[in-house]
């Protein structure tokens, strides 16, 4: 018996496959889900998602959101997600730099709180990519 | 018969108009495609979010939560999504027809200049009006939603409903009213959502074990509900925009066609007038020649 993992963002369905195990960061710490897990709804933190499939391990980076485990279905709702295989370190470093610069600038020239929050989310997501990529090796 | 120069001027005018309406038609077509795409790409997210809330529906009965509990409705809160610009057929008129049935205790929030104009003209209670640009980015929609949620929590309004034009297909757009808050009837809401997106809902596995919440349940419920309302309103605004652009496209297409017909008619008239003038001239010349010879 395996798990179905769906990762959905407002822009698209990013990931939808059957997997063996999945681990993700929640507001209360990391949770690792195996088949027959009890139903769970948790707040997802920005960070890395570790997916075990056969003897392969995949790493994905996600932003904040929610996780639902229901039956043998794991649904992850998040604002953004990316498979870290698809990006390289240089892009990530640049993204982090850009995000932090934008954030600094934003805080100086008092733009509204929602916009700052958005920039922070971008920075967190870039960091999450770096972490996920670091763990992969 | 009108003189040839007048007709020529009119032909020129109609041609210019046709050029403009044709350009507008083409712009609307491409905008419509984009709006449809973005409305479509948000669907899985909306559906999954609704499913998550739906799977809670058995658990929320004893919850005393602002978003889930009904209270006596003194003032309905209605968000009206209209267009900023005109020239889109009967789209806005149809939308406002729904509003005329709503009694006067309701309070309104509008998106789009047309709605705020209509509401102030009809002397309705307009709490705020917002403008959202063509791409309807989440950041702009968020301000609107946050205002609505805030008014709901302050009990300025007792429901959150949205009036928008739903996109059926390119030719058909129907005005619709949807209630978002309070979240009381989750099952029928889910059903409607599935019907709207044409998704199969039989695949949801029933899991009867008790749900574990991390962190506490109330916190998650409140955040999920707020996220749901935000997402739903954003989705509906995107759909309203797809409707706007397709309505404009159709209106401009028929304007372009009409201009074409008018041009044909005018050209015929012009040729007739020109021929009549020539015949007249020949007649005069030959009459003069005849008079000289005799």
């Amino acid at each position: 018996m395996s798990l179905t993992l769906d990762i959905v963002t407002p822009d698209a369905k990013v990931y939808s496959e059957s997997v063996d195990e999945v681990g993700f960061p929640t507001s209360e710490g990391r949770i690792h889900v195996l088949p027959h897990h009890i139903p769970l709804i948790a707040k997802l933190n920005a960070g890395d998602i570790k997916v075990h499939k056969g003897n392969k391990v995949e790493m994905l980076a996600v932003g904040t959101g929610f996780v639902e485990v229901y039956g043998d279905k794991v649904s992850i709702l998040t604002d953004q997600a990316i498979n870290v295989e698809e990006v390289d370190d240089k892009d990530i470093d640049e993204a982090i730099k850009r995000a932090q610069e934008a954030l600094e600038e934003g805080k100086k020239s008092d733009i509204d709180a929602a916009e700052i929050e958005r920039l922070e989310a971008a920075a967190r997501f870039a960091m999450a990519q770096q972490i996920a990529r670091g763990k992969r090796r | 018969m009108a003189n040839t120069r007048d007709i020529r001027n009119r032909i020129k005018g109609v041609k210019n108009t046709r050029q403009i309406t044709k350009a507008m038609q083409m712009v609307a077509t491409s905008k419509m495609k984009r709006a449809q795409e973005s409305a479509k790409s948000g669907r899985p997210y909306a559906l999954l979010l609704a499913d998550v809330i739906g799977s809670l529906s058995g658990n929320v009965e004893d919850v005393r939560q602002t978003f889930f509990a009904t209270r006596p409705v003194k003032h309905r809160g209605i968000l009206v999504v209209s267009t900023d610009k005109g020239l889109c057929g009967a789209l806005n008129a149809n939308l406002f027809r729904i509003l005329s049935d709503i009694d006067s205790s309701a309070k309104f929030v509008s998106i789009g200049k047309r709605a705020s104009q209509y509401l102030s003209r009809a002397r309705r209670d307009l709490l705020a009006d917002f403008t959202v640009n063509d791409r309807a980015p989440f950041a702009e929609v968020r301000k609107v939603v946050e205002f609505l949620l805030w008014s709901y929590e302050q009990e300025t309004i007792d429901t959150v409903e949205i009036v928008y034009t739903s996109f059926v297909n390119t030719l058909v757009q129907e005005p619709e009213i949807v209630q978002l808050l309070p979240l009381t009837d989750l099952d029928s809401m889910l059903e409607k959502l599935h019907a709207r997106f044409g998704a199969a809902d039989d695949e949801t596995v029933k899991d009867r074990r008790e749900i574990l919440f991390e962190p506490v349940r109330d916190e998650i419920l409140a955040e999920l509900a707020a996220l749901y309302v935000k997402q739903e309103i954003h989705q509906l605004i995107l759909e309203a925009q797809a409707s706007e652009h397709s309505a404009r496209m159709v209106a401009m297409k028929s304007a372009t066609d009409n201009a074409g017909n008018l041009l044909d008619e005018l050209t015929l008239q012009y040729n007739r007038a020109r021929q009549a003038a020539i015949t007249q001239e020949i007649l005069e010349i030959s009459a003069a020649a005849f008079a000289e010879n005799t």
Side-chain angles (χ1 to χ4, degrees), chain A residues 8-12 27-28 31 36-43 66 68 70-71 75 77-78 112 114-115 117, chain B residues 41-42 44-45 48-49 51-52 55-56 139 142-143 205 207 209-215 219-220 223-224 227:
Chain A
V8 185
T9 69
D11 299 321
S27 59
E28 311 290 290
I31 291 182
H36 304 299
H37 195 280
I38 74 162
L40 163 82
I41 292 177
K43 267 169 79 177
F66 291 94
E68 183 204 38
Y70 197 70
S75 312
L77 276 168
T78 174
D112 67 38
E115 190 65 9
E117 206 173 289
Chain B
S41 65
Y45 189 78
L48 188 55
L49 188 55
D51 274 341
V52 172
S55 62
L56 296 174
R142 200 166 131 147
K143 283 180 215 155
V205 205
D207 194 335
R209 290 172 296 180
E210 201 180 325
I211 299 180
L212 183 69
F213 289 92
E214 295 276 349
E219 196 177 312
I220 286 202
E223 277 191 35
L224 268 179
L227 185 65

Side-chain angles (χ1 to χ4, degrees), chain A residues 16-136:
Chain A
S16 178
E17 268 171 66
S18 87
V19 301
D20 295 323
E21 302 170 30
V22 52
F24 43 79
T26 72
S27 59
E28 311 290 290
R30 272 193 90 81
I31 291 182
H32 207 82
V33 173
L34 292 164
H36 304 299
H37 195 280
I38 74 162
L40 163 82
I41 292 177
K43 267 169 79 177
L44 181 74
N45 275 6
D48 56 301
I49 292 185
K50 198 172 182 186
V51 181
H52 295 259
K53 206 164 45 174
N55 42 21
K56 260 193 355 209
V57 176
E58 275 183 66
M59 297 295 278
L60 294 113
V62 289
T64 51
F66 291 94
V67 183
E68 183 204 38
V69 181
Y70 197 70
D72 276 322
K73 198 158 166 254
V74 181
S75 312
I76 294 178
L77 276 168
T78 174
D79 46 6
Q80 37 197 344
I82 196 165
N83 190 338
V84 286
E85 305 294 328
E86 292 161 13
V87 286
D88 64 44
D89 294 332
K90 218 176 79 207
D91 289 347
I92 297 173
D93 288 341
E94 270 169 25
I96 291 177
K97 228 173 102 196
R98 261 205 317 278
Q100 276 167 348
E101 270 167 22
L103 200 58
E104 284 302 308
E105 208 148 293
K107 276 179 182 158
K108 264 183 260 158
S109 63
D110 60 357
I111 45 175
D112 67 38
E115 190 65 9
I116 288 190
E117 206 173 289
R118 194 185 64 77
L119 290 171
E120 271 172 353
R124 270 202 303 273
F125 181 57
M127 295 290 229
Q129 287 180 42
Q130 194 179 40
I131 294 165
R133 192 141 175 103
K135 282 195 186 166
R136 188 178 52 93

Side-chain angles (χ1 to χ4, degrees), chain B:
Chain B
M1 191 160 280
N3 98 42
T4 48
R5 201 176 38 178
D6 286 349
I7 299 177
R8 213 163 44 215
N9 280 341
R10 268 200 81 191
I11 289 181
K12 236 185 252 164
V14 173
K15 254 188 195 154
N16 284 339
T17 311
R18 184 175 65 169
Q19 216 162 31
I20 293 167
T21 57
K22 181 112 193 204
M24 285 181 76
Q25 180 198 333
M26 253 123 72
V27 170
T29 311
S30 78
K31 278 189 180 168
M32 179 193 79
K33 276 186 195 135
R34 205 183 57 212
Q36 257 175 289
E37 276 310 305
S38 46
K40 219 184 269 169
S41 65
R43 281 178 182 184
Y45 189 78
L47 214 52
L48 188 55
L49 188 55
D51 274 341
V52 172
I53 294 179
S55 62
L56 296 174
S57 61
N59 283 288
V60 293
E61 272 146 25
D62 55 326
V63 181
R64 286 274 145 261
Q65 276 261 335
T66 5
F67 292 146
F68 291 93
T70 35
R71 54 186 188 225
V73 177
K74 273 181 266 153
H75 302 286
R76 294 166 73 183
I78 295 168
L79 172 68
V80 186
V81 186
S82 76
T83 66
D84 272 340
K85 298 180 193 115
L87 293 179
C88 48
L91 190 81
N92 286 323
N94 288 339
L95 193 69
F96 299 151
R97 204 165 297 144
I98 284 195
L99 296 185
S100 58
D101 297 338
I102 293 168
D103 61 71
S104 57
S105 69
K107 298 190 175 185
F108 292 89
V109 173
S110 71
I111 290 178
K113 287 190 190 118
R114 300 275 143 176
S116 57
Q117 267 170 18
Y118 171 83
L119 290 169
S120 53
R121 221 176 277 150
R123 298 183 188 286
R124 293 305 189 103
D125 193 351
L126 184 63
L127 289 176
D129 82 272
F130 293 91
T131 40
V132 166
N133 79 15
D134 248 3
R135 282 173 192 274
F138 198 68
E140 279 187 21
V141 175
R142 200 166 131 147
K143 283 180 215 155
V144 184
V145 183
E146 258 152 30
F147 176 77
L148 281 169
L149 292 178
W150 178 80
S151 323
Y152 185 78
E153 275 163 6
Q154 300 290 310
E155 310 204 356
T156 328
I157 51 177
D158 299 309
T159 61
V160 172
E161 293 163 65
I162 175 168
V163 175
Y164 75 110
T165 318
S166 84
F167 181 86
V168 181
N169 57 43
T170 321
L171 291 171
V172 184
Q173 296 91 32
E174 273 168 5
E176 213 173 54
I177 184 160
V178 176
Q179 180 173 337
L180 295 173
L181 284 180
L183 287 163
T184 44
D185 202 357
L186 285 166
D187 287 332
S188 76
M189 174 195 90
L190 262 180
E191 228 166 75
K192 252 190 245 162
L193 209 61
H194 277 291
R196 202 171 82 215
F197 296 160
D201 57 347
D202 49 14
E203 58 181 270
T204 40
V205 205
K206 285 278 165 258
D207 194 335
R208 289 266 163 243
R209 290 172 296 180
E210 201 180 325
I211 299 180
L212 183 69
F213 289 92
E214 295 276 349
V216 282
R217 181 178 71 176
D218 286 3
E219 196 177 312
I220 286 202
L221 275 181
E223 277 191 35
L224 268 179
L227 185 65
Y228 172 74
V229 174
K230 274 180 205 170
Q231 160 64 31
E232 211 30 36
I233 290 181
H234 186 220
Q235 188 70 28
L236 294 180
I237 289 174
L238 286 176
E239 206 171 300
Q241 290 205 328
S243 302
E244 174 195 342
H245 293 309
S246 60
R248 178 163 301 130
M249 184 189 85
V250 171
M252 287 302 112
K253 172 145 181 36
S254 73
T256 310
D257 291 351
N258 281 343
N261 289 342
L262 196 59
L263 265 185
D264 286 348
E265 232 166 78
L266 283 175
T267 316
L268 199 68
Q269 232 180 65
Y270 170 75
N271 287 340
R272 226 181 253 152
R274 191 178 60 105
Q275 189 57 55
I278 293 167
T279 317
Q280 179 77 26
E281 232 167 84
I282 290 174
L283 215 67
E284 273 162 20
I285 290 167
S286 59
F290 180 73
E292 235 165 68
N293 288 343
T294 49

